[in-house]
Amino acid sequence: MKKIKRWEILTIGCLTRNKFWGEPKEEGVRECLATSSVICTGEANIVVDPSMDPESFGQVLFNRSGLRPGDIDLVYCTHLHGDHFAGIELFEKADWYMASGDCEVFKQDEDNRELLRKRMKPAGDFLIPDRVHTVFLPGHTPGLSGLLFQGPEGRVLASGDCIMTKDFFLNREGYYFDKDGEENRRSIEKAAQLAGIIIPGHGNYFISGAYR
Ligand SMILES: [Zn+2]
């Protein structure tokens, strides 16, 4: 895998409730926000999981990366949950991809806007050959796939909600509404073997190797 040029965190996500902070499972205590990132390979700029409404997300993109919506070539959604594609319509010129295992279900769900159902495409094994690979990490949803790439600092995995935050990684635990908790635990193990740096679904990035 060839090294990419740079990557940036756009939004640092959070959860409505975090059991590792002693918060109750029964009710949320804050608004949910997904973690979003941008991967600049040198050939293409990829936004992963656009997490805010288009107007707010455009400002965040510029603040955190210097890029404008027109600079983005691809958008990738790690799975079919709405907080991971909230800002996708900002990227009119880009190609829109979703994890292949979730994409068909997404396209058939009439709750999703027609434009999105039409334009969303299932990602293959590589988003960019030799640079950005998809990695199947089922459990949170049946078809979730993260993105793996060689950053300037080492191997990085954008895991989506397979790994919610650093605490969930350390405890090898999924979230309370995972479709299959045991399968997700295996996916977390797989993620731990693959990358030294993890961009989780709802927290800041962290060094996974230090905890092995
Ligand atoms: Zn999710």
Side-chain angles (χ1 to χ4, degrees), residues 92-121:
E92 288 169 18
K93 283 178 15 195
D95 289 318
W96 299 352
Y97 288 97
M98 182 174 277
S100 62
D102 270 7
C103 194
E104 202 45 51
V105 180
F106 173 84
K107 286 167 103 54
Q108 280 165 19
D109 183 350
E110 290 178 11
D111 285 346
N112 293 319
R113 286 165 49 102
E114 202 180 332
L115 172 74
L116 274 67
R117 293 169 60 200
K118 249 189 209 155
R119 279 191 59 177
M120 199 71 84
K121 294 186 276 193

Side-chain angles (χ1 to χ4, degrees), residues 25 38 50 58 60 86 96 112 114 120 127 159-160 168 176 180 182 187:
K25 179 180 156 183
V38 64
V60 168
W96 299 352
N112 293 319
E114 202 180 332
M120 199 71 84
L127 212 53
S159 72
F168 286 81
Y176 72 96
D180 185 333
E182 207 30 63
S187 290

Side-chain angles (χ1 to χ4, degrees), residues 13 20 24-25 62 70 86 112 115 136 194 196 200:
F20 297 107
K25 179 180 156 183
F62 184 66
N112 293 319
L115 172 74
F136 189 46
L194 281 175

Side-chain angles (χ1 to χ4, degrees), residues 40-204:
C40 304
T41 68
E43 302 104 337
N45 298 324
I46 307 163
V47 161
V48 185
D49 288 345
S51 57
M52 302 168 84
D53 67 89
E55 193 184 337
S56 311
F57 196 69
Q59 189 61 53
V60 168
L61 173 71
F62 184 66
N63 292 355
R64 300 296 317 140
S65 71
L67 298 170
R68 295 293 191 187
D71 298 322
I72 302 303
D73 305 289
L74 305 172
V75 180
Y76 179 76
C77 307
T78 53
H79 63 297
L80 51 67
H81 290 156
D83 50 332
H84 295 260
F85 59 81
I88 198 164
E89 285 167 82
L90 178 66
F91 304 102
E92 288 169 18
K93 283 178 15 195
D95 289 318
W96 299 352
Y97 288 97
M98 182 174 277
S100 62
D102 270 7
C103 194
E104 202 45 51
V105 180
F106 173 84
K107 286 167 103 54
Q108 280 165 19
D109 183 350
E110 290 178 11
D111 285 346
N112 293 319
R113 286 165 49 102
E114 202 180 332
L115 172 74
L116 274 67
R117 293 169 60 200
K118 249 189 209 155
R119 279 191 59 177
M120 199 71 84
K121 294 186 276 193
D125 291 345
F126 310 98
L127 212 53
I128 308 283
D130 291 333
R131 302 263 192 202
V132 183
H133 296 202
T134 57
V135 178
F136 189 46
L137 300 169
H140 178 70
T141 62
L144 186 151
S145 284
L147 290 183
L148 185 68
F149 55 94
Q150 187 71 29
E153 322 82 344
R155 191 68 62 98
V156 184
L157 176 71
S159 72
D161 289 0
C162 167
I163 298 168
M164 284 297 194
T165 73
K166 180 172 64 180
D167 291 322
F168 286 81
F169 175 80
L170 291 174
N171 290 280
R172 299 294 194 264
E173 274 198 43
Y175 207 42
Y176 72 96
F177 60 70
D178 283 354
K179 279 280 187 254
D180 185 333
E182 207 30 63
E183 190 175 41
N184 197 66
R185 191 188 305 272
R186 289 194 294 273
S187 290
I188 296 174
E189 274 307 332
K190 179 178 173 181
Q193 302 303 318
L194 281 175
I197 299 169
I198 306 268
I199 304 171
H202 288 266
N204 204 354

